[in-house]
Amino acid sequence: MKTARLGLAAVAALLALALPTVAQANEVTKWNDIAVTTLLLQPPIASQPPAAAVFMATVQGAVYGAANAVDRHGKPYLVDRSFPKASLDAAVATAAFRVIDGTFSAQHATLQAAYDASLAAIPDGSSKDEG
């Protein structure tokens, strides 16, 4: 009985990995993935706890602040600024890029290419510039 449950659990885990993700990708999830990927390229001193946790918290704090400055979905954390006409995607990409690039500048070329791609997907205009 116990073996059957373990086998069923293994099959369920394989199916979960094989099925497409339900969540839609957006700039927040995209830059979270970029932060994790960049972190995993670092030596163990930077990619292990507690340094890794501090880095990810810093990136997500910056993203939260930028997103909240645009749409005011929550209480401001460190900085209470408002940019209601800014592009949410541009603000999120810029906040994440600046933290990741500022921390791991050796990956600048790769990070700059990802940032440029994010901005290229946003229509030009004052909203993009403000974000």
Side-chain angles (χ1 to χ4, degrees):
M1 183 74 161
K2 190 174 185 179
T3 306
R5 278 193 221 149
L6 287 175
L8 185 58
V11 170
L14 288 173
L15 282 174
L17 291 173
L19 294 175
T21 306
V22 175
Q24 279 189 318
N26 59 33
E27 288 301 309
V28 173
T29 58
K30 174 184 175 180
W31 281 93
N32 186 66
D33 289 345
I34 291 169
V36 169
T37 301
T38 303
L39 184 62
L40 293 175
L41 294 173
Q42 307 311 310
I45 190 85
S47 62
Q48 300 293 317
V54 170
F55 169 71
M56 290 303 296
T58 304
V59 172
Q60 293 309 314
V63 167
Y64 173 84
N68 195 47
V70 174
D71 72 9
R72 291 307 227 189
H73 65 280
K75 185 176 179 180
Y77 179 62
L78 290 176
V79 179
D80 188 4
R81 298 187 69 188
S82 182
F83 299 95
K85 295 181 181 178
S87 162
L88 179 62
D89 288 341
V92 165
T94 300
F97 169 74
R98 288 186 177 169
V99 172
I100 301 166
D101 188 55
T103 306
F104 300 116
S105 59
Q107 273 75 44
H108 176 74
T110 302
L111 294 169
Q112 185 67 53
Y115 181 60
D116 292 345
S118 286
L119 293 185
I122 301 166
D124 289 335
S126 61
S127 176
K128 178 178 179 177
D129 295 340
E130 196 171 323

